[in-house]
Amino acid sequence: GSPANLLDLYGTVDIPETETFGSTPFPIPGLRRDPRDVRSDQDLPEPFMIRMASSAAHVMGHPFASSETCTWLREHWKVALSFTKPEIDRLFASGINHIYYHGTVYSPADAPWPGWLFYASTQFNPSNTWWDDFGALNAYVTRVQSVLQSGRPDNEVLLYWPFDDLIDNPKGLMLQFGVHNVQWLLNSPFGHLASQMSAEGISFDYISDKQLAATSVKDGALVTPGGNRYRVVVVPATRRMPVGTLVALRNLVKSGAKVIIESLPEDVPGLGRLEERRAEFAKRIAAPEITGAVVKGEVLAAIKDAGCVSEPIAKTGVSYIRRANDSGYDYFLANLSADALDAWVGLGRPAQSVALLDPLAGDAGAAAIRKAANGATEVYLQLAPGESLILRTRTNGTWSGLAPWHNLEPAGDAVNVAGTWDVTFLKGGPELPPAFKTDKLGSWTSSSAAAESFGGTARYKIEFTLPGGEHADDWVLDLGDVRESARVRLNGEEVATAWSLPFRVRVGSHLKPGKNVLELDVTNLAANRIRDMDRRGVKWKIMREINFVNIRYRPFDASNWEITPSGLLGPVMLIPMHYVNPASGG
């Protein structure tokens, strides 16, 4: 069977100590190398926690929902660009549309490598080996944010956030609502209902007591303080509820709003004026507007009966978010599972035409679409694990001047790019290792003593012959195992920077019959260089205050690290491809 997530493909995470960093598994393509240094895939941002921020922005009408990003993905100097994309994609799919990196600090130009550093691990700074490839990540983020910052949220459900249930806790007053272990959020009726709604493709934002009290009804729609419109308020099973919230719910129902209550609350929160508030509570909870909204466990059915959209994409395991604009809807899709998607997928919103945008490569095209038996628009999607797409739909009219999107299928067997590779070290330190030749790809750390401690970039160059007789509409270059990013050049032409899974690039327009020259500028992590410095006792930890700690907030020491594989491990393959027209069956 298929692996549960990409960690199963590359090895399990072994945390040798007893700290708990989280307990809810989420498949994250990207955490794939030397797992001893990874906290766990469970310590990446929990989507329902992220939604706390994006919901606040949506409900209050703020156009930007920002997030500190990639603070501690793994140990210092062991964070590849490929690790950042899954976290960023999860943030985007959870409603964040403004990324800021954590972190970069000022460092004087004459400070010895690695310069002045912040205690957090990702090190978005010029001392990092992959700084020259950082622009490719920024281009990706820019393309996605340009879409997600336009239009408006298109969530339909306001999910009541019963904060008083959290603080009404007999275990004591010192309660920790942490972001690493979020069972206080997930293991609650609120969390269970949010999970069920998410699995059904029902879009929602959280709403607080104060926000609910300021929500009004206009033309049958719920209008929040920020002016965004919703279809229904859903109240999960709640034990404690302020009297004011009961009054607000009753008033919304009387004004024509749809309110769904899973079960009636039991009591008021807190102890002040307890008997007085309990008497008021008993009167308010008996109101027909409140008792008539109770559905006794049939919440999802009631939400659908209220006309809320259920997005079919949720059933595929692909993470998504939908936004509305004046001409249609925008979808951001990210495949954070281990299973490829290659299928027709229905859209919850009507669409007459659909444009597909690849935010990684910057390509765009008109998607293949069709009408399902129920009248919904279906779009043909191909998403490998780790890949993402943007869908831009038009409710009326078509996208003019947009060429068809080319879906691909293999046209023959993959061709191994074999022969002698010339490897020349271009940039980095502590010194440039000697060049070498190899006909068997592997970690460059075994080529020389200098290469073992090197952090930087090396150029892999090979001449190969494009197979004759192959009828291909396009070719895909599969770089295999890249440690950690590669700038691809074919026949002297810049093609792309491959920095994220699955490390595949379309290259058909750059190939020519007969002889071709492939150059790959591959950049590794700085881990081996920092390991060498600690083994030699170099005094580089000159930062004050926290003075540099490891991922467990203990004194940092890389001297006992094992050598981190570096360079192009391959195999490098060329795959001939046919264009697929799914609308006509092939």
Side-chain angles (χ1 to χ4, degrees):
S2 299
N5 57 58
L6 286 200
L7 288 171
D8 296 336
L9 298 178
Y10 295 100
T12 57
V13 172
D14 177 22
I15 305 297
E17 303 188 39
T18 59
E19 289 98 335
T20 298
F21 295 96
S23 56
T24 302
F26 292 95
I28 297 294
L31 294 181
R32 63 192 191 111
R33 304 182 178 94
D34 196 12
R36 287 164 299 198
D37 300 310
V38 183
R39 288 183 177 189
S40 80
D41 66 326
Q42 301 162 2
D43 194 41
L44 287 163
E46 212 294 322
F48 296 140
M49 174 65 78
I50 302 168
R51 202 177 290 259
M52 290 281 182
S54 62
S55 293
H58 296 165
V59 168
M60 300 308 294
H62 298 303
F64 303 132
S66 301
S67 176
E68 170 190 307
T69 306
C70 303
T71 307
W72 282 102
L73 288 184
R74 57 188 303 193
E75 189 56 271
H76 289 281
W77 309 115
K78 291 197 172 187
V79 178
L81 288 173
S82 62
F83 302 162
T84 67
K85 187 174 184 293
E87 172 162 319
I88 291 171
D89 284 349
R90 176 176 283 179
L91 291 170
F92 283 148
S94 301
I96 299 299
N97 64 1
H98 181 237
I99 298 298
Y100 61 92
Y101 301 110
H102 195 298
T104 299
V105 299
Y106 167 76
S107 183
D110 59 352
W113 192 91
W116 296 358
L117 303 173
F118 188 53
Y119 80 96
S121 70
T122 303
Q123 305 299 350
F124 290 101
N125 65 61
S127 292
N128 211 322
T129 49
W130 43 252
W131 180 254
D132 289 345
D133 295 339
F134 184 28
L137 167 60
N138 282 332
Y140 171 79
V141 169
T142 299
R143 292 180 184 120
V144 177
Q145 288 189 168
S146 67
V147 173
L148 296 185
Q149 290 179 6
S150 64
R152 54 193 178 275
D154 192 41
N155 299 332
E156 295 190 299
V157 175
L158 288 168
L159 181 61
Y160 172 66
W161 167 236
F163 180 68
D164 285 306
D165 275 4
L166 284 179
I167 58 177
D168 183 60
N169 191 318
K171 293 183 179 180
L173 298 178
M174 187 61 178
L175 304 175
Q176 299 291 333
F177 304 131
V179 298
H180 296 310
N181 190 332
V182 294
Q183 296 313 302
W184 58 269
L185 174 67
L186 300 179
N187 288 345
S188 68
F190 172 88
H192 295 159
L193 184 53
S195 296
Q196 293 170 11
M197 291 166 60
S198 182
E200 286 294 316
I202 297 169
S203 58
F204 58 93
D205 284 320
Y206 308 154
I207 190 165
S208 69
D209 296 275
K210 186 174 181 179
Q211 292 167 337
L212 194 61
T215 296
S216 60
V217 180
K218 184 176 181 180
D219 301 327
L222 291 144
V223 182
T224 60
N228 283 322
R229 300 169 72 90
Y230 295 81
R231 189 178 291 272
V232 62
V233 172
V234 173
V235 180
T238 304
R239 294 180 297 109
R240 303 287 184 264
M241 181 178 287
V243 171
T245 299
L246 280 174
V247 172
L249 291 172
R250 174 180 176 272
N251 290 341
L252 290 174
V253 174
K254 290 185 69 173
S255 298
K258 178 66 175 177
V259 174
I260 298 170
I261 301 175
E262 187 171 13
S263 62
L264 291 176
E266 303 166 7
D267 203 350
V268 293
L271 300 175
R273 297 186 296 106
L274 185 58
E275 295 306 317
E276 176 187 340
R277 290 187 298 114
R278 277 179 169 169
E280 184 70 12
F281 179 87
K283 180 174 67 173
R284 297 293 184 180
I285 204 169
E289 293 85 358
I290 298 298
T291 57
V294 178
V295 296
K296 297 181 180 179
E298 301 298 327
V299 177
L300 295 182
I303 292 173
K304 294 177 182 179
D305 288 344
C308 294
V309 168
S310 180
E311 280 290 351
I313 192 69
K315 299 293 187 182
T316 69
V318 170
S319 299
Y320 76 97
I321 192 169
R322 183 187 68 234
R323 292 179 67 87
N325 57 60
D326 292 339
S327 59
Y329 299 88
D330 295 324
Y331 292 76
F332 171 74
L333 311 177
N335 188 356
L336 300 180
S337 75
D339 298 317
L341 174 65
D342 189 346
W344 287 98
V345 178
L347 299 179
R349 294 299 193 192
Q352 186 170 334
S353 62
V354 179
L356 291 181
L357 289 73
D358 178 357
L360 196 63
D363 299 330
I369 61 175
R370 70 182 186 186
K371 289 295 182 182
N374 62 0
T377 299
E378 293 184 332
V379 59
Y380 194 78
L381 295 175
Q382 291 181 321
L383 273 173
E387 288 185 336
S388 50
L389 280 174
I390 293 171
L391 278 65
R392 308 206 77 177
T393 77
R394 283 194 168 176
T395 306
N396 298 296
T398 60
W399 294 93
S400 60
L402 198 59
W405 180 266
H406 292 309
N407 295 290
L408 300 177
E409 67 178 8
D413 294 333
V415 179
N416 187 20
V417 179
T420 300
W421 293 84
D422 292 312
V423 184
T424 306
F425 292 90
L426 304 177
K427 179 181 179 180
E431 62 183 72
L432 294 182
F436 66 95
K437 296 179 181 289
T438 183
D439 57 5
K440 185 178 181 181
L441 292 173
S443 177
W444 73 42
T445 54
S446 60
S447 67
S448 66
E452 185 176 277
S453 59
F454 178 74
T457 303
R459 176 167 297 164
Y460 288 71
K461 183 176 181 179
I462 193 171
E463 185 178 274
F464 65 94
T465 300
L466 187 68
E470 291 280 1
H471 172 65
D473 297 316
D474 202 346
W475 290 81
V476 168
L477 178 68
D478 186 335
L479 297 178
D481 195 351
V482 179
R483 306 298 181 97
E484 298 293 334
S485 56
R487 295 190 293 279
V488 180
R489 190 181 305 104
L490 254 174
N491 299 317
E493 297 177 342
E494 298 290 339
V495 179
T497 298
W499 59 273
S500 64
L501 291 178
F503 288 98
R504 292 180 179 176
V505 179
R506 294 190 185 188
V507 296
S509 62
H510 299 274
L511 289 169
K512 61 184 182 181
K515 296 292 184 181
N516 288 263
V517 177
L518 173 64
E519 295 173 291
L520 304 170
D521 290 352
V522 181
T523 299
N524 73 335
L525 298 173
N528 292 336
R529 184 173 179 180
I530 213 74
R531 168 187 180 271
D532 174 69
M533 293 175 71
D534 274 357
R535 289 170 69 88
R536 291 188 290 109
V538 177
K539 303 298 184 183
W540 62 272
K541 291 168 240 180
I542 58 174
M543 290 68 68
R544 297 184 181 182
E545 303 299 338
I546 200 164
N547 202 30
F548 223 68
V549 293
N550 66 16
I551 199 168
R552 301 183 187 280
Y553 285 67
R554 295 169 185 165
F556 180 92
D557 180 11
S559 62
N560 62 349
W561 287 0
E562 294 184 12
I563 295 295
T564 300
S566 302
L568 186 64
L569 278 59
V572 178
M573 311 290 286
L574 274 169
I575 308 171
M577 292 290 186
H578 280 324
Y579 295 151
V580 180
N581 181 4
S584 63

